[in-house]
Amino acid sequence: MSLVGSRPRPGGPARGRPRSEAVERAILEGVMKLLEDGVPLAELSIERVARTAGVGKATIYRRWSGKEELFVDVVRAAEPPDPELPGTSLRDDLVVLLESLRRRGLATRSSALLHNVYAQMKSSPKIWAAYHTAVIEPRRVLTMEVLRRAQRNGELRPDVDLELANDMFVGPMLVRAVMRPDADLPEHLPEHIVDTVLQGLRPVSPAAT
């Protein structure tokens, strides 16, 4: 899997001298090459990555504090990018968020390497914790912000439990994408999930008298 054209994710490390996208790309692709060659994550050292990428270890440490942080950026570069939300309505934002989940599910299914990397990450508590902190939790926070805004502007009933609502929107897509790899991920699934859940969470209009 090539990472050519990938860009460093916002919020990444910014220590030391100014970052060079070409150098970072070479390092990320060096890690991916080692993974494609069958080297397990547990056996990937910074020294080995530096040798493969043709850079010094200090060059890597100026950009990443350790291999856990580096591996998180490798996976993020291989995944479809996080979406820009339209901000026009709760429905529109949720559809975009779920479409991003659907695309990541399709990417994992189509890439044996990415699927294998996820499995290895989950078997390494330190790497999985780093990925959860840097990637999964910010995505959850973003969805919660969308739901809070919708509750404030009246798109959701004031009594709705937003943590539960988050699970109700995201859960069906995660089940299809992660827990049921044989399940279909059709193009209009995000809209179907969002519209089905919103039907029960929107404020009820007073009955006409």
Side-chain angles (χ1 to χ4, degrees), residues 1 75 78-80 100-122 128 131 139 174 176-181 185:
M1 178 183 296
V75 175
E79 292 178 333
S100 179
L101 279 177
R102 188 183 76 90
R103 289 179 180 273
R104 286 199 293 274
L106 290 172
T108 303
R109 292 181 182 186
S110 64
S111 170
L113 177 62
L114 194 55
H115 181 80
N116 185 38
V117 169
Y118 283 136
Q120 291 188 62
M121 286 173 59
K122 290 178 181 179
W128 184 249
Y131 182 77
R139 289 171 179 164
L174 288 179
R176 289 273 188 112
V178 178
M179 299 179 67
R180 294 180 55 200
L185 289 173

Side-chain angles (χ1 to χ4, degrees), residues 40-54:
L41 282 177
E43 297 180 15
L44 285 182
S45 65
I46 294 295
E47 182 176 8
R48 192 168 187 177
V49 172
R51 188 166 60 248
T52 301

Side-chain angles (χ1 to χ4, degrees), residues 4-171:
V4 173
S6 65
R7 294 174 296 176
R9 296 300 197 270
R15 301 176 297 278
R17 68 185 62 179
R19 300 174 66 135
S20 163
E21 288 193 14
V23 170
E24 291 191 356
R25 189 180 306 117
I27 294 168
L28 296 176
E29 292 192 340
V31 176
M32 192 59 72
K33 180 182 185 304
L34 290 169
L35 293 171
E36 288 172 342
D37 290 343
V39 180
L41 282 177
E43 297 180 15
L44 285 182
S45 65
I46 294 295
E47 182 176 8
R48 192 168 187 177
V49 172
R51 188 166 60 248
T52 301
V55 301
K57 289 183 358 181
T59 300
I60 296 178
Y61 281 119
R62 277 195 294 268
R63 291 159 172 81
W64 294 277
S65 62
K67 68 179 188 178
E68 290 82 15
E69 191 180 61
L70 171 57
F71 293 159
V72 168
D73 274 0
V74 169
V75 175
R76 287 201 294 189
E79 292 178 333
D82 288 335
E84 292 289 337
L85 300 185
T88 50
S89 70
L90 172 62
R91 182 186 185 276
D92 291 346
D93 284 350
L94 288 173
V95 167
V96 169
L97 287 167
L98 292 195
E99 173 62 13
S100 179
L101 279 177
R102 188 183 76 90
R103 289 179 180 273
R104 286 199 293 274
L106 290 172
T108 303
R109 292 181 182 186
S110 64
S111 170
L113 177 62
L114 194 55
H115 181 80
N116 185 38
V117 169
Y118 283 136
Q120 291 188 62
M121 286 173 59
K122 290 178 181 179
S123 68
S124 171
K126 287 183 68 176
I127 297 175
W128 184 249
Y131 182 77
H132 189 279
T133 298
V135 180
I136 297 177
E137 182 60 17
R139 289 171 179 164
R140 189 195 72 81
V141 169
L142 177 59
T143 306
M144 289 298 298
E145 289 175 353
V146 168
L147 294 174
R148 290 190 187 97
R149 183 197 67 204
Q151 198 167 51
R152 288 195 301 269
N153 65 25
E155 291 181 277
L156 290 177
R157 298 197 315 272
D159 64 327
V160 169
D161 181 332
L162 297 185
E163 291 281 354
L164 179 59
N166 177 56
D167 293 344
M168 292 169 68
F169 285 113
V170 175

